[in-house]
Amino acid sequence: MLGPVLDRLGPAGLTAAAAALAAEHERRGVVVAGWADGRQSVRSVPMDPVPRLVDAGSWAQLAAGVQQRHRALNAFLADAYRAAGRRRSDTDREPEVVRAGVLPGWAVAHSPGRDPDAVGLAWSGQPRATVAATDVMWTATGWTVLADDLRVPSGIGYALAGRLSARAAVPELFADGGVRVADPLDAVPLLRAALTDAAPPACPGTPRIAVLSVGETDSAWFEHRLLAEALGAPLVRAADLWPCADGGIEVMVDGDRQRIDVLYRRFDDAELPAHRTPGGAQLGALLADGVRTGNLGLANVPGNGLADDPGTYAVVPRLIRFYLGEEPLLDSVRTWVLADAAQWAEVRDRLQELVLTPVDAYGGGGAVVGPESSAAELAQLQAEVAATPHRFVASEPVELSTVPTLVDGVLEPRPADLRVFSVAGRSGTCALPAPLTRVAPAAGSRITDPAQGAVIKDTWLLL
């Protein structure tokens, strides 16, 4: 299959392939931006020439598990953000998951990811997470979930660009006609269909979609441009949005205003209040009016941090059982929510063995790895957690599985995860055939963010 091709290329051929990929990424402008000390730096995203292979059976298992999590988390968001909790006539306004005793009330009401203003930002029955990402790793027992992202998940564009670059720069990899591999570009019509389904029910005709971005300052600006082009949708910013008399929204495209039914929102909730439209309206208020009047659908709906913070990650298996009546198909890393006194008591003497993560962290930021900390750092951590245990979750440390990666002309094992994307619409939930392999830049590293130096791989889903 792939082995004979790699053997024919040899170290020299693989090194040349890596250089060709770098040149192709440079030509295509496949970049990611980062910020440090108030300054933005833009770097080309490095790509390893050796694809990652996922066989059909493994992908089927993984896709089913990702779809299951996405369905359960959307059900949780719908429950938690139901106006006033339930019906006006109810004396108990708690979400059903709290009323059933599956979660304590504070786990929903006091989650740092909950946004009370987000209740009215989805039309009735709309999946609040149109697009989701699930980060997984391969273990001896199968796929294990590391994190969920239902806010503004990025990476689809990099998966598409990776395949395009690989075909152009290293055509030898695809020369074996006996190998049938899924095409990541097949994800585009699935994404477009889900975004179309995010249009409000009263939308006349074919919904019109636009991609909403902050602009060049966003770390994934390249991806925003690529996806807008792939979707055949205009790429707009706050300065391009205008209100209509009926509460709808028009966008300025090439000097003309076009009515829009769905905005594929590609920047964080926290940035909504910081932007104003040409008419002077706050962006968040303009979008809220569009949804409230039944003229606009947002994908994703703001407030989804409630479903993907570290505290919620710990209870996803419970949510799957409660909302779907199913057993979880994918494993999770064992995690303790320290706001629960019993769970805090269980691990308070084990902090040196565990990973401590603030509950308001996004994407694992701020995590402290006990086994890698000094005695002084552990003492400070112990004091901080003991004073405010509700601010943290603790989890078992995990070592990322490795994939063969070209390092200085030699294939070496490097830690990697796999980001799998899924979409939800009126017809259900679907995993996209465009997963993204992210490889840590050094042996033993846990960094898989391309903005911090991680490498990407083309991921082959074998048919």
Side-chain angles (χ1 to χ4, degrees), residues 283-306:
L283 176 59
L286 181 69
L287 300 184
D289 284 345
V291 175
R292 179 180 53 80
T293 57
N295 291 289
L296 180 68
L298 298 176
N300 285 348
V301 178
N304 288 357
L306 172 63

PDB file of all heavy atoms in Angstrom, residues 283-306:
ATOM      1  N   LEU A 283     -22.247  44.797  16.970  1.00  0.00           N
ATOM      2  CA  LEU A 283     -22.424  43.602  16.154  1.00  0.00           C
ATOM      3  C   LEU A 283     -23.331  42.579  16.828  1.00  0.00           C
ATOM      4  O   LEU A 283     -24.245  42.030  16.202  1.00  0.00           O
ATOM      5  CB  LEU A 283     -21.067  42.975  15.831  1.00  0.00           C
ATOM      6  CG  LEU A 283     -21.105  41.664  15.051  1.00  0.00           C
ATOM      7  CD1 LEU A 283     -21.811  41.835  13.711  1.00  0.00           C
ATOM      8  CD2 LEU A 283     -19.686  41.135  14.844  1.00  0.00           C
ATOM      9  N   GLY A 284     -23.079  42.322  18.122  1.00  0.00           N
ATOM     10  CA  GLY A 284     -23.885  41.333  18.822  1.00  0.00           C
ATOM     11  C   GLY A 284     -25.356  41.698  18.829  1.00  0.00           C
ATOM     12  O   GLY A 284     -26.228  40.833  18.661  1.00  0.00           O
ATOM     13  N   ALA A 285     -25.668  42.980  19.016  1.00  0.00           N
ATOM     14  CA  ALA A 285     -27.066  43.432  19.041  1.00  0.00           C
ATOM     15  C   ALA A 285     -27.708  43.276  17.662  1.00  0.00           C
ATOM     16  O   ALA A 285     -28.881  42.887  17.554  1.00  0.00           O
ATOM     17  CB  ALA A 285     -27.138  44.879  19.496  1.00  0.00           C
ATOM     18  N   LEU A 286     -26.944  43.581  16.615  1.00  0.00           N
ATOM     19  CA  LEU A 286     -27.473  43.438  15.256  1.00  0.00           C
ATOM     20  C   LEU A 286     -27.817  41.977  14.960  1.00  0.00           C
ATOM     21  O   LEU A 286     -28.882  41.667  14.404  1.00  0.00           O
ATOM     22  CB  LEU A 286     -26.456  43.953  14.246  1.00  0.00           C
ATOM     23  CG  LEU A 286     -26.888  43.886  12.776  1.00  0.00           C
ATOM     24  CD1 LEU A 286     -28.010  44.881  12.500  1.00  0.00           C
ATOM     25  CD2 LEU A 286     -25.705  44.162  11.851  1.00  0.00           C
ATOM     26  N   LEU A 287     -26.924  41.063  15.341  1.00  0.00           N
ATOM     27  CA  LEU A 287     -27.171  39.646  15.100  1.00  0.00           C
ATOM     28  C   LEU A 287     -28.372  39.160  15.916  1.00  0.00           C
ATOM     29  O   LEU A 287     -29.193  38.375  15.423  1.00  0.00           O
ATOM     30  CB  LEU A 287     -25.928  38.827  15.450  1.00  0.00           C
ATOM     31  CG  LEU A 287     -24.644  39.153  14.670  1.00  0.00           C
ATOM     32  CD1 LEU A 287     -23.533  38.189  15.055  1.00  0.00           C
ATOM     33  CD2 LEU A 287     -24.884  39.128  13.172  1.00  0.00           C
ATOM     34  N   ALA A 288     -28.459  39.616  17.169  1.00  0.00           N
ATOM     35  CA  ALA A 288     -29.584  39.213  18.022  1.00  0.00           C
ATOM     36  C   ALA A 288     -30.916  39.665  17.427  1.00  0.00           C
ATOM     37  O   ALA A 288     -31.904  38.918  17.438  1.00  0.00           O
ATOM     38  CB  ALA A 288     -29.417  39.783  19.427  1.00  0.00           C
ATOM     39  N   ASP A 289     -30.970  40.867  16.870  1.00  0.00           N
ATOM     40  CA  ASP A 289     -32.198  41.353  16.240  1.00  0.00           C
ATOM     41  C   ASP A 289     -32.559  40.486  15.035  1.00  0.00           C
ATOM     42  O   ASP A 289     -33.730  40.173  14.807  1.00  0.00           O
ATOM     43  CB  ASP A 289     -32.025  42.807  15.793  1.00  0.00           C
ATOM     44  CG  ASP A 289     -32.105  43.785  16.955  1.00  0.00           C
ATOM     45  OD1 ASP A 289     -32.569  43.377  18.037  1.00  0.00           O
ATOM     46  OD2 ASP A 289     -31.700  44.949  16.773  1.00  0.00           O
ATOM     47  N   GLY A 290     -31.536  40.098  14.260  1.00  0.00           N
ATOM     48  CA  GLY A 290     -31.799  39.268  13.096  1.00  0.00           C
ATOM     49  C   GLY A 290     -32.400  37.929  13.471  1.00  0.00           C
ATOM     50  O   GLY A 290     -33.338  37.446  12.828  1.00  0.00           O
ATOM     51  N   VAL A 291     -31.882  37.313  14.547  1.00  0.00           N
ATOM     52  CA  VAL A 291     -32.415  36.031  15.006  1.00  0.00           C
ATOM     53  C   VAL A 291     -33.806  36.217  15.589  1.00  0.00           C
ATOM     54  O   VAL A 291     -34.732  35.440  15.304  1.00  0.00           O
ATOM     55  CB  VAL A 291     -31.461  35.393  16.041  1.00  0.00           C
ATOM     56  CG1 VAL A 291     -32.073  34.113  16.601  1.00  0.00           C
ATOM     57  CG2 VAL A 291     -30.105  35.098  15.418  1.00  0.00           C
ATOM     58  N   ARG A 292     -33.971  37.241  16.427  1.00  0.00           N
ATOM     59  CA  ARG A 292     -35.249  37.463  17.121  1.00  0.00           C
ATOM     60  C   ARG A 292     -36.389  37.693  16.143  1.00  0.00           C
ATOM     61  O   ARG A 292     -37.519  37.241  16.378  1.00  0.00           O
ATOM     62  CB  ARG A 292     -35.117  38.672  18.066  1.00  0.00           C
ATOM     63  CG  ARG A 292     -36.388  39.029  18.821  1.00  0.00           C
ATOM     64  CD  ARG A 292     -36.163  40.230  19.724  1.00  0.00           C
ATOM     65  NE  ARG A 292     -35.596  41.363  18.995  1.00  0.00           N
ATOM     66  CZ  ARG A 292     -36.304  42.195  18.245  1.00  0.00           C
ATOM     67  NH1 ARG A 292     -37.604  42.026  18.112  1.00  0.00           N
ATOM     68  NH2 ARG A 292     -35.710  43.201  17.614  1.00  0.00           N
ATOM     69  N   THR A 293     -36.115  38.368  15.037  1.00  0.00           N
ATOM     70  CA  THR A 293     -37.169  38.653  14.058  1.00  0.00           C
ATOM     71  C   THR A 293     -37.377  37.506  13.076  1.00  0.00           C
ATOM     72  O   THR A 293     -38.221  37.607  12.167  1.00  0.00           O
ATOM     73  CB  THR A 293     -36.833  39.938  13.273  1.00  0.00           C
ATOM     74  OG1 THR A 293     -35.546  39.782  12.640  1.00  0.00           O
ATOM     75  CG2 THR A 293     -36.809  41.143  14.194  1.00  0.00           C
ATOM     76  N   GLY A 294     -36.629  36.420  13.240  1.00  0.00           N
ATOM     77  CA  GLY A 294     -36.814  35.263  12.374  1.00  0.00           C
ATOM     78  C   GLY A 294     -36.184  35.402  11.010  1.00  0.00           C
ATOM     79  O   GLY A 294     -36.562  34.681  10.074  1.00  0.00           O
ATOM     80  N   ASN A 295     -35.203  36.298  10.884  1.00  0.00           N
ATOM     81  CA  ASN A 295     -34.591  36.546   9.585  1.00  0.00           C
ATOM     82  C   ASN A 295     -33.156  36.042   9.462  1.00  0.00           C
ATOM     83  O   ASN A 295     -32.555  36.165   8.399  1.00  0.00           O
ATOM     84  CB  ASN A 295     -34.587  38.060   9.300  1.00  0.00           C
ATOM     85  CG  ASN A 295     -35.973  38.600   9.058  1.00  0.00           C
ATOM     86  OD1 ASN A 295     -36.583  38.322   8.035  1.00  0.00           O
ATOM     87  ND2 ASN A 295     -36.474  39.374  10.012  1.00  0.00           N
ATOM     88  N   LEU A 296     -32.610  35.473  10.541  1.00  0.00           N
ATOM     89  CA  LEU A 296     -31.194  35.110  10.518  1.00  0.00           C
ATOM     90  C   LEU A 296     -30.941  33.863  11.350  1.00  0.00           C
ATOM     91  O   LEU A 296     -31.561  33.666  12.399  1.00  0.00           O
ATOM     92  CB  LEU A 296     -30.349  36.271  11.081  1.00  0.00           C
ATOM     93  CG  LEU A 296     -28.836  36.067  11.123  1.00  0.00           C
ATOM     94  CD1 LEU A 296     -28.257  36.024   9.714  1.00  0.00           C
ATOM     95  CD2 LEU A 296     -28.155  37.168  11.934  1.00  0.00           C
ATOM     96  N   GLY A 297     -30.028  33.037  10.880  1.00  0.00           N
ATOM     97  CA  GLY A 297     -29.531  31.913  11.656  1.00  0.00           C
ATOM     98  C   GLY A 297     -28.036  32.055  11.843  1.00  0.00           C
ATOM     99  O   GLY A 297     -27.315  32.480  10.929  1.00  0.00           O
ATOM    100  N   LEU A 298     -27.553  31.740  13.037  1.00  0.00           N
ATOM    101  CA  LEU A 298     -26.129  31.825  13.342  1.00  0.00           C
ATOM    102  C   LEU A 298     -25.547  30.421  13.466  1.00  0.00           C
ATOM    103  O   LEU A 298     -26.153  29.531  14.063  1.00  0.00           O
ATOM    104  CB  LEU A 298     -25.897  32.579  14.657  1.00  0.00           C
ATOM    105  CG  LEU A 298     -26.370  34.027  14.696  1.00  0.00           C
ATOM    106  CD1 LEU A 298     -26.160  34.606  16.090  1.00  0.00           C
ATOM    107  CD2 LEU A 298     -25.630  34.861  13.657  1.00  0.00           C
ATOM    108  N   ALA A 299     -24.385  30.230  12.906  1.00  0.00           N
ATOM    109  CA  ALA A 299     -23.689  28.953  13.012  1.00  0.00           C
ATOM    110  C   ALA A 299     -22.207  29.263  13.300  1.00  0.00           C
ATOM    111  O   ALA A 299     -21.542  29.827  12.445  1.00  0.00           O
ATOM    112  CB  ALA A 299     -23.810  28.155  11.704  1.00  0.00           C
ATOM    113  N   ASN A 300     -21.765  28.969  14.500  1.00  0.00           N
ATOM    114  CA  ASN A 300     -22.502  28.407  15.599  1.00  0.00           C
ATOM    115  C   ASN A 300     -23.165  29.506  16.437  1.00  0.00           C
ATOM    116  O   ASN A 300     -22.753  30.662  16.405  1.00  0.00           O
ATOM    117  CB  ASN A 300     -21.555  27.601  16.489  1.00  0.00           C
ATOM    118  CG  ASN A 300     -21.160  26.258  15.884  1.00  0.00           C
ATOM    119  OD1 ASN A 300     -21.728  25.769  14.907  1.00  0.00           O
ATOM    120  ND2 ASN A 300     -20.126  25.653  16.468  1.00  0.00           N
ATOM    121  N   VAL A 301     -24.162  29.079  17.203  1.00  0.00           N
ATOM    122  CA  VAL A 301     -24.839  30.008  18.102  1.00  0.00           C
ATOM    123  C   VAL A 301     -23.900  30.345  19.261  1.00  0.00           C
ATOM    124  O   VAL A 301     -23.236  29.457  19.798  1.00  0.00           O
ATOM    125  CB  VAL A 301     -26.141  29.370  18.636  1.00  0.00           C
ATOM    126  CG1 VAL A 301     -26.833  30.290  19.619  1.00  0.00           C
ATOM    127  CG2 VAL A 301     -27.064  29.010  17.477  1.00  0.00           C
ATOM    128  N   PRO A 302     -23.798  31.601  19.682  1.00  0.00           N
ATOM    129  CA  PRO A 302     -22.980  31.934  20.850  1.00  0.00           C
ATOM    130  C   PRO A 302     -23.470  31.215  22.109  1.00  0.00           C
ATOM    131  O   PRO A 302     -24.638  30.830  22.216  1.00  0.00           O
ATOM    132  CB  PRO A 302     -23.154  33.451  20.970  1.00  0.00           C
ATOM    133  CG  PRO A 302     -23.486  33.907  19.582  1.00  0.00           C
ATOM    134  CD  PRO A 302     -24.323  32.803  19.006  1.00  0.00           C
ATOM    135  N   GLY A 303     -22.558  31.047  23.069  1.00  0.00           N
ATOM    136  CA  GLY A 303     -22.902  30.413  24.337  1.00  0.00           C
ATOM    137  C   GLY A 303     -22.545  28.950  24.422  1.00  0.00           C
ATOM    138  O   GLY A 303     -22.791  28.306  25.449  1.00  0.00           O
ATOM    139  N   ASN A 304     -21.940  28.398  23.379  1.00  0.00           N
ATOM    140  CA  ASN A 304     -21.652  26.958  23.366  1.00  0.00           C
ATOM    141  C   ASN A 304     -20.496  26.555  24.261  1.00  0.00           C
ATOM    142  O   ASN A 304     -20.228  25.363  24.427  1.00  0.00           O
ATOM    143  CB  ASN A 304     -21.374  26.488  21.940  1.00  0.00           C
ATOM    144  CG  ASN A 304     -22.623  26.452  21.085  1.00  0.00           C
ATOM    145  OD1 ASN A 304     -23.716  26.733  21.564  1.00  0.00           O
ATOM    146  ND2 ASN A 304     -22.479  26.123  19.821  1.00  0.00           N
ATOM    147  N   GLY A 305     -19.816  27.528  24.855  1.00  0.00           N
ATOM    148  CA  GLY A 305     -18.764  27.193  25.812  1.00  0.00           C
ATOM    149  C   GLY A 305     -19.282  26.379  26.981  1.00  0.00           C
ATOM    150  O   GLY A 305     -18.521  25.665  27.637  1.00  0.00           O
ATOM    151  N   LEU A 306     -20.575  26.458  27.237  1.00  0.00           N
ATOM    152  CA  LEU A 306     -21.193  25.655  28.289  1.00  0.00           C
ATOM    153  C   LEU A 306     -20.997  24.165  28.036  1.00  0.00           C
ATOM    154  O   LEU A 306     -20.886  23.373  28.974  1.00  0.00           O
ATOM    155  CB  LEU A 306     -22.685  25.985  28.368  1.00  0.00           C
ATOM    156  CG  LEU A 306     -23.556  25.121  29.269  1.00  0.00           C
ATOM    157  CD1 LEU A 306     -23.113  25.258  30.725  1.00  0.00           C
ATOM    158  CD2 LEU A 306     -25.018  25.497  29.119  1.00  0.00           C
TER     159      LEU A 306
END
